[in-house]
Amino acid sequence: MSAGRPVPFATVARDLLRTTLLDAVAAELREKPWAAVKMADVARAAGVSRQTVYNEFGSRHDLAQAFALREVDGFLATVEEAVEGHREDPAAALAAAFETFLGAAAENPFVRSIVSGEGSDDLLPLVTTQGEPVLARATERLGEFLGDGWPQMDAAQARLLAETTVRLAISYAALPQSPAGIDGRAIAALLGPYVDRAIGRAPA
């Protein structure tokens, strides 16, 4: 068995630095809202200089966006696990995915900072007016996962379902005071027929 090419030390070191800094952001957010988190706080929690944080992320806004993207990856990993347990029932998979996401979002300090308004001047645009990176990351990954799970669904259908689901999820997470009855089952009732048609379980 031939060994693969080693990952350059500089790449490993930078990945470790970014992980450490983003972990530091998460630790700070467990103690205070985003509005109170300073670059110096992140540097101190990570054990590096403030200049190191600026060198890596450029600005507080860039740090917030990098953290938001990592949180998206974490949410999607949780959603994928929920969907995996309901492969034979698309409606149940959608309900489980939505409920799992909303439950995780409700407990997430980053999302709570957005919802509470504490720091929303910085954070809310990351999922609204400046939300393209978050939307694109979530849509691409969820679309690939849906396509793998239901191969009968073509790529365009999977992407449409993924983007619709992501936009709904972000809306409900950012505005949790939703009308009574809007939950995973309601979303499944809305989107389930589309999935059924896409995978050939119902007439188009």
Side-chain angles (χ1 to χ4, degrees):
M1 179 183 296
S2 61
R5 293 178 61 84
V7 179
F9 174 78
T11 300
V12 174
R14 185 179 183 195
D15 288 346
L16 178 59
L17 174 61
R18 289 180 70 86
T19 296
T20 301
L21 293 175
L22 295 177
D23 286 347
V25 173
E28 290 296 306
L29 283 172
R30 286 193 289 271
E31 302 295 330
K32 65 187 77 167
W34 173 251
V37 176
K38 310 302 181 186
M39 297 290 264
D41 298 331
V42 175
R44 184 169 51 254
V48 300
S49 69
R50 186 175 63 172
Q51 189 59 49
T52 297
V53 183
Y54 278 105
N55 288 346
E56 184 60 32
F57 291 105
S59 69
R60 191 166 178 272
H61 176 271
D62 292 338
L63 174 62
Q65 185 165 79
F67 188 76
L69 290 172
R70 192 175 79 158
E71 294 302 278
V72 165
D73 289 339
F75 285 139
L76 287 172
T78 302
V79 166
E80 287 173 6
E81 290 180 6
V83 172
E84 192 65 44
H86 300 85
R87 285 294 187 191
E88 301 306 313
D89 187 343
L94 287 172
F98 214 80
E99 289 291 340
T100 297
F101 170 78
L102 292 181
E107 299 298 321
N108 186 275
F110 192 69
V111 175
R112 287 205 301 267
S113 282
I114 296 175
V115 172
S116 69
E118 297 177 310
S120 62
D121 286 349
D122 292 332
L123 301 184
L124 189 58
L126 295 179
V127 295
T128 54
T129 57
Q130 300 170 25
E132 182 58 31
V134 167
L135 178 63
R137 172 80 67 90
T139 296
E140 179 180 4
R141 182 167 165 183
L142 183 58
E144 290 174 352
F145 182 70
L146 294 174
D148 290 341
W150 294 305
Q152 309 96 311
M153 190 183 303
D154 67 36
Q157 292 172 320
R159 181 173 180 81
L160 177 59
L161 177 61
E163 182 168 345
T164 300
T165 302
V166 168
R167 287 181 181 276
L168 285 170
I170 289 174
S171 295
Y172 286 119
L175 299 170
Q177 300 302 317
S178 59
I182 299 297
D183 55 15
R185 288 173 298 179
I187 296 302
L190 177 66
L191 299 179
Y194 175 84
V195 179
D196 284 339
R197 289 194 298 272
I199 65 176
R201 291 193 176 188

